[in-house]
Amino acid sequence: MNKKDYSEYFVKPSLKEAVKRTKTTTEIVKDEYKLDEKYLLGKDKTYFIRTFGCQANLRDEETIAGILELMGYTKSEDITKSDIILLNTCAVRENAEERVFGEVGHLKAIRQINPDVIFGVCGCMVQQESIVEEILKRAPHIDLIFGTHNINRLPELIYQTYMSKERVVEVFSKEGEVYENLPVKRNDSLKAWVNIMYGCDKFCTYCIVPYTRGKERSRLLADIIEEVKCLKEQGYKEVTLLGQNVNAYGKDLKLGYDFATLLEECAKTGIERIRFTTSHPWNFTDRMVDVIAKYDNIMNHIHLPIQSGSDEILRKMARRYTYAEYKELYNKLRDTLPNCSITTDIIVGFPNETEEQFQKTLDAVNELEYDSAFTFIYSPREGTPAAKMVDNVPMEVKKERFNRLVEAVTRSAKKRNEAYVGKVLKVLVEGPSKKNEDVLSGYSEENKLVNFKGSKDLVGKIVNVKITLAKSWTLEGEAIE
Ligand code: 5AD
Ligand code: SF4
């Protein structure tokens, strides 16, 4: 049942539209999310969602799952036996996109077993015109494409997919309202993602996110606190507050509160653990530092992307800080929050990066000694300013620099971890380790993955673990009374 033509449900994205920012304040929709009877299409049917990319996408998957369950679908563990299969995609680097195209290809075989299956592609990738064109051309078996701003419309889009003989494509380029009452089916019963804002207005020159996720839109403080309280009541031990740049929280609302206020109010709910991500180094206020220091239930971990150690590259990236300014903030955090771990993101091979400029990044890693870092080779993203820059750095050079960077990061992570040997860390036990059933694993307050021997009844509890061995990316220890 390959659908060939285009239905009236055919709205393609435009990066040109997505880049525009309007001054209007965020509109928040609080109506109950109710479904008309015609949308209860999922009786005796199952769904399967595969998500790529960041926490925002994982949280979107939970909303999509919530909507599908409201429609009557149940979750399937077996992709080949599912009635609706969705690929929830990431656009941040090219290799993520290549993996999705691989998956799109694999789906085809499932139609042989199940001719009525619906295949859908959603998420950041399909916010780009060129990708939608490519799917339409290369993958006629895909029935449904919908964007990050169209999730709330899923029941109607699925209904149209069943009813029409054509492919359904609906990708709005402009973000719409913030929907408060979308259903959610969470993937975890201990740790929960909580969106505090959507979108990004920073426009770092390499990054596609401001185009795929739209402008910054904050949720109301009271709604977020209500959600955190609810999660606490349901027995959740940890929440992670999510935003592309949490420091910008509240600015669009103009209600006189900011991220520091929100963080403090969250802490006062008494939920056991609060994390947040991501913090842009720009506008990380002293009040935020003070609040983190004041409350024990705000975890000792800050993810503070540096991207590069070279001022010239940072300027070309439009990161709004110099290395000296970053270092000043970094040192302030280390001094005020001595038990805090700090991690980062780094890009190597930005267009025309010289060996000297790369060396500045290596120097930064060696000087700052991060607890850990995500490292990436620069990937041009169509529509971003950096993608227009002529690039004279060959890929072999980028790869060689990348390897040197990974070496430096591994060394500093190992060194930081070694300082924990002999210390006691509080670990929220998630379950048996993937490699060994007798070993439990979980994350410490500092976001260190800790493995230790213990009985399964500790799962879900916060346990004191004395660290006995440090590896680069994990710690080992023993539970103590
Ligand atoms: N190429 C490589 N890495 C990128 N990131 C974002 N855009 C790109 C790109 N075009 C990285 C940044 C960001 C992280 C989430 O992904 O380091 O902080
Ligand atoms: Fe992308 Fe920069 Fe926004 Fe982060 S702050 S999402 S890197 S544009």
Side-chain angles (χ1 to χ4, degrees), residues 443-465:
Y443 285 86
S444 74
E445 300 194 322
E446 302 76 8
N447 211 33
K448 303 276 178 189
L449 181 58
V450 180
N451 295 318
F452 65 100
K453 286 224 166 79
S455 77
K456 285 206 182 83
D457 55 343
L458 293 177
V459 172
K461 302 209 167 87
I462 293 171
V463 175
N464 285 326
V465 179

mmCIF file of all heavy atoms in Angstrom, residues 443-465:
data_model
loop_
_atom_site.group_PDB
_atom_site.id
_atom_site.type_symbol
_atom_site.label_atom_id
_atom_site.label_comp_id
_atom_site.label_asym_id
_atom_site.label_seq_id
_atom_site.Cartn_x
_atom_site.Cartn_y
_atom_site.Cartn_z
ATOM 1 N N TYR A 443 23.264 6.559 39.074
ATOM 2 C CA TYR A 443 24.050 7.794 38.976
ATOM 3 C C TYR A 443 24.173 8.480 40.332
ATOM 4 O O TYR A 443 23.215 8.526 41.114
ATOM 5 C CB TYR A 443 23.408 8.741 37.968
ATOM 6 C CG TYR A 443 23.647 8.283 36.546
ATOM 7 C CD1 TYR A 443 22.795 7.359 35.940
ATOM 8 C CD2 TYR A 443 24.749 8.723 35.834
ATOM 9 C CE1 TYR A 443 23.032 6.906 34.647
ATOM 10 C CE2 TYR A 443 25.003 8.277 34.544
ATOM 11 C CZ TYR A 443 24.144 7.374 33.968
ATOM 12 O OH TYR A 443 24.391 6.919 32.700
ATOM 13 N N SER A 444 25.366 9.018 40.573
ATOM 14 C CA SER A 444 25.596 9.786 41.800
ATOM 15 C C SER A 444 25.047 11.196 41.600
ATOM 16 O O SER A 444 24.649 11.567 40.490
ATOM 17 C CB SER A 444 27.087 9.848 42.097
ATOM 18 O OG SER A 444 27.704 10.744 41.188
ATOM 19 N N GLU A 445 25.082 11.982 42.668
ATOM 20 C CA GLU A 445 24.607 13.365 42.566
ATOM 21 C C GLU A 445 25.404 14.124 41.506
ATOM 22 O O GLU A 445 24.891 15.006 40.832
ATOM 23 C CB GLU A 445 24.753 14.063 43.918
ATOM 24 C CG GLU A 445 23.941 13.369 45.002
ATOM 25 C CD GLU A 445 23.795 14.198 46.250
ATOM 26 O OE1 GLU A 445 24.763 14.886 46.625
ATOM 27 O OE2 GLU A 445 22.700 14.156 46.845
ATOM 28 N N GLU A 446 26.671 13.746 41.355
ATOM 29 C CA GLU A 446 27.563 14.420 40.401
ATOM 30 C C GLU A 446 27.372 13.891 38.987
ATOM 31 O O GLU A 446 28.136 14.218 38.088
ATOM 32 C CB GLU A 446 29.025 14.208 40.827
ATOM 33 C CG GLU A 446 29.386 14.693 42.212
ATOM 34 C CD GLU A 446 28.894 13.772 43.339
ATOM 35 O OE1 GLU A 446 28.383 12.658 43.040
ATOM 36 O OE2 GLU A 446 28.991 14.174 44.504
ATOM 37 N N ASN A 447 26.377 13.035 38.801
ATOM 38 C CA ASN A 447 26.082 12.416 37.504
ATOM 39 C C ASN A 447 27.146 11.427 37.054
ATOM 40 O O ASN A 447 27.374 11.220 35.867
ATOM 41 C CB ASN A 447 25.868 13.482 36.411
ATOM 42 C CG ASN A 447 24.876 13.005 35.358
ATOM 43 O OD1 ASN A 447 23.943 12.261 35.672
ATOM 44 N ND2 ASN A 447 25.076 13.393 34.120
ATOM 45 N N LYS A 448 27.800 10.784 38.037
ATOM 46 C CA LYS A 448 28.782 9.739 37.717
ATOM 47 C C LYS A 448 28.051 8.405 37.705
ATOM 48 O O LYS A 448 27.274 8.113 38.635
ATOM 49 C CB LYS A 448 29.869 9.677 38.801
ATOM 50 C CG LYS A 448 30.603 10.980 39.021
ATOM 51 C CD LYS A 448 31.706 11.131 38.028
ATOM 52 C CE LYS A 448 32.423 12.460 38.194
ATOM 53 N NZ LYS A 448 33.355 12.741 37.130
ATOM 54 N N LEU A 449 28.324 7.606 36.695
ATOM 55 C CA LEU A 449 27.746 6.266 36.641
ATOM 56 C C LEU A 449 28.543 5.373 37.592
ATOM 57 O O LEU A 449 29.755 5.222 37.442
ATOM 58 C CB LEU A 449 27.815 5.735 35.211
ATOM 59 C CG LEU A 449 27.216 4.345 34.983
ATOM 60 C CD1 LEU A 449 25.752 4.295 35.395
ATOM 61 C CD2 LEU A 449 27.345 3.943 33.510
ATOM 62 N N VAL A 450 27.846 4.822 38.599
ATOM 63 C CA VAL A 450 28.523 4.026 39.636
ATOM 64 C C VAL A 450 27.992 2.596 39.595
ATOM 65 O O VAL A 450 26.782 2.369 39.601
ATOM 66 C CB VAL A 450 28.275 4.638 41.039
ATOM 67 C CG1 VAL A 450 28.982 3.814 42.112
ATOM 68 C CG2 VAL A 450 28.730 6.092 41.093
ATOM 69 N N ASN A 451 28.900 1.620 39.553
ATOM 70 C CA ASN A 451 28.525 0.209 39.618
ATOM 71 C C ASN A 451 28.972 -0.356 40.962
ATOM 72 O O ASN A 451 30.086 -0.081 41.410
ATOM 73 C CB ASN A 451 29.231 -0.578 38.503
ATOM 74 C CG ASN A 451 28.762 -0.126 37.129
ATOM 75 O OD1 ASN A 451 27.575 0.090 36.912
ATOM 76 N ND2 ASN A 451 29.699 0.030 36.215
ATOM 77 N N PHE A 452 28.101 -1.152 41.593
ATOM 78 C CA PHE A 452 28.485 -1.770 42.873
ATOM 79 C C PHE A 452 27.671 -3.033 43.097
ATOM 80 O O PHE A 452 26.580 -3.193 42.543
ATOM 81 C CB PHE A 452 28.284 -0.778 44.030
ATOM 82 C CG PHE A 452 26.845 -0.387 44.257
ATOM 83 C CD1 PHE A 452 26.093 -0.975 45.269
ATOM 84 C CD2 PHE A 452 26.222 0.563 43.450
ATOM 85 C CE1 PHE A 452 24.765 -0.634 45.474
ATOM 86 C CE2 PHE A 452 24.893 0.916 43.643
ATOM 87 C CZ PHE A 452 24.170 0.318 44.657
ATOM 88 N N LYS A 453 28.226 -3.938 43.917
ATOM 89 C CA LYS A 453 27.508 -5.190 44.203
ATOM 90 C C LYS A 453 26.422 -4.913 45.233
ATOM 91 O O LYS A 453 26.638 -4.192 46.205
ATOM 92 C CB LYS A 453 28.493 -6.224 44.767
ATOM 93 C CG LYS A 453 29.412 -6.802 43.708
ATOM 94 C CD LYS A 453 29.514 -8.335 43.884
ATOM 95 C CE LYS A 453 30.127 -8.959 42.652
ATOM 96 N NZ LYS A 453 31.588 -8.807 42.620
ATOM 97 N N GLY A 454 25.248 -5.488 45.047
ATOM 98 C CA GLY A 454 24.188 -5.259 46.017
ATOM 99 C C GLY A 454 22.938 -6.030 45.638
ATOM 100 O O GLY A 454 22.841 -6.546 44.523
ATOM 101 N N SER A 455 21.996 -6.101 46.600
ATOM 102 C CA SER A 455 20.797 -6.886 46.319
ATOM 103 C C SER A 455 19.784 -6.033 45.549
ATOM 104 O O SER A 455 19.752 -4.807 45.685
ATOM 105 C CB SER A 455 20.185 -7.402 47.611
ATOM 106 O OG SER A 455 19.498 -6.368 48.237
ATOM 107 N N LYS A 456 18.939 -6.743 44.807
ATOM 108 C CA LYS A 456 18.017 -6.042 43.891
ATOM 109 C C LYS A 456 17.002 -5.165 44.612
ATOM 110 O O LYS A 456 16.423 -4.272 44.008
ATOM 111 C CB LYS A 456 17.286 -7.071 43.023
ATOM 112 C CG LYS A 456 18.176 -7.649 41.944
ATOM 113 C CD LYS A 456 17.347 -8.138 40.770
ATOM 114 C CE LYS A 456 18.200 -8.760 39.705
ATOM 115 N NZ LYS A 456 18.547 -10.166 39.961
ATOM 116 N N ASP A 457 16.789 -5.434 45.935
ATOM 117 C CA ASP A 457 15.791 -4.597 46.620
ATOM 118 C C ASP A 457 16.278 -3.159 46.850
ATOM 119 O O ASP A 457 15.544 -2.318 47.349
ATOM 120 C CB ASP A 457 15.298 -5.251 47.915
ATOM 121 C CG ASP A 457 16.428 -5.605 48.837
ATOM 122 O OD1 ASP A 457 17.579 -5.646 48.350
ATOM 123 O OD2 ASP A 457 16.183 -5.827 50.037
ATOM 124 N N LEU A 458 17.512 -2.900 46.456
ATOM 125 C CA LEU A 458 17.997 -1.509 46.547
ATOM 126 C C LEU A 458 17.567 -0.668 45.339
ATOM 127 O O LEU A 458 17.711 0.550 45.345
ATOM 128 C CB LEU A 458 19.525 -1.489 46.655
ATOM 129 C CG LEU A 458 20.124 -2.070 47.933
ATOM 130 C CD1 LEU A 458 21.648 -2.064 47.871
ATOM 131 C CD2 LEU A 458 19.653 -1.283 49.160
ATOM 132 N N VAL A 459 17.028 -1.344 44.322
ATOM 133 C CA VAL A 459 16.614 -0.621 43.111
ATOM 134 C C VAL A 459 15.545 0.423 43.472
ATOM 135 O O VAL A 459 14.595 0.131 44.197
ATOM 136 C CB VAL A 459 16.087 -1.585 42.026
ATOM 137 C CG1 VAL A 459 15.471 -0.817 40.860
ATOM 138 C CG2 VAL A 459 17.206 -2.488 41.533
ATOM 139 N N GLY A 460 15.755 1.642 43.006
ATOM 140 C CA GLY A 460 14.807 2.719 43.289
ATOM 141 C C GLY A 460 15.171 3.513 44.529
ATOM 142 O O GLY A 460 14.535 4.529 44.828
ATOM 143 N N LYS A 461 16.211 3.046 45.254
ATOM 144 C CA LYS A 461 16.596 3.767 46.486
ATOM 145 C C LYS A 461 17.866 4.584 46.252
ATOM 146 O O LYS A 461 18.630 4.315 45.325
ATOM 147 C CB LYS A 461 16.858 2.757 47.610
ATOM 148 C CG LYS A 461 15.676 1.859 47.918
ATOM 149 C CD LYS A 461 15.701 1.437 49.372
ATOM 150 C CE LYS A 461 14.379 0.821 49.776
ATOM 151 N NZ LYS A 461 14.315 -0.622 49.508
ATOM 152 N N ILE A 462 18.077 5.542 47.139
ATOM 153 C CA ILE A 462 19.335 6.297 47.096
ATOM 154 C C ILE A 462 20.261 5.684 48.146
ATOM 155 O O ILE A 462 19.918 5.603 49.328
ATOM 156 C CB ILE A 462 19.083 7.796 47.339
ATOM 157 C CG1 ILE A 462 18.286 8.360 46.139
ATOM 158 C CG2 ILE A 462 20.407 8.543 47.501
ATOM 159 C CD1 ILE A 462 17.774 9.760 46.298
ATOM 160 N N VAL A 463 21.403 5.177 47.677
ATOM 161 C CA VAL A 463 22.271 4.355 48.518
ATOM 162 C C VAL A 463 23.645 5.019 48.631
ATOM 163 O O VAL A 463 24.149 5.582 47.658
ATOM 164 C CB VAL A 463 22.434 2.957 47.842
ATOM 165 C CG1 VAL A 463 23.415 2.078 48.593
ATOM 166 C CG2 VAL A 463 21.082 2.275 47.720
ATOM 167 N N ASN A 464 24.255 4.935 49.833
ATOM 168 C CA ASN A 464 25.631 5.430 49.996
ATOM 169 C C ASN A 464 26.602 4.393 49.473
ATOM 170 O O ASN A 464 26.568 3.228 49.892
ATOM 171 C CB ASN A 464 25.930 5.680 51.473
ATOM 172 C CG ASN A 464 25.246 6.941 51.956
ATOM 173 O OD1 ASN A 464 25.104 7.904 51.204
ATOM 174 N ND2 ASN A 464 24.796 6.916 53.207
ATOM 175 N N VAL A 465 27.440 4.798 48.558
ATOM 176 C CA VAL A 465 28.398 3.857 47.967
ATOM 177 C C VAL A 465 29.808 4.414 48.142
ATOM 178 O O VAL A 465 30.080 5.570 47.762
ATOM 179 C CB VAL A 465 28.107 3.630 46.458
ATOM 180 C CG1 VAL A 465 29.129 2.674 45.853
ATOM 181 C CG2 VAL A 465 26.695 3.090 46.255
#
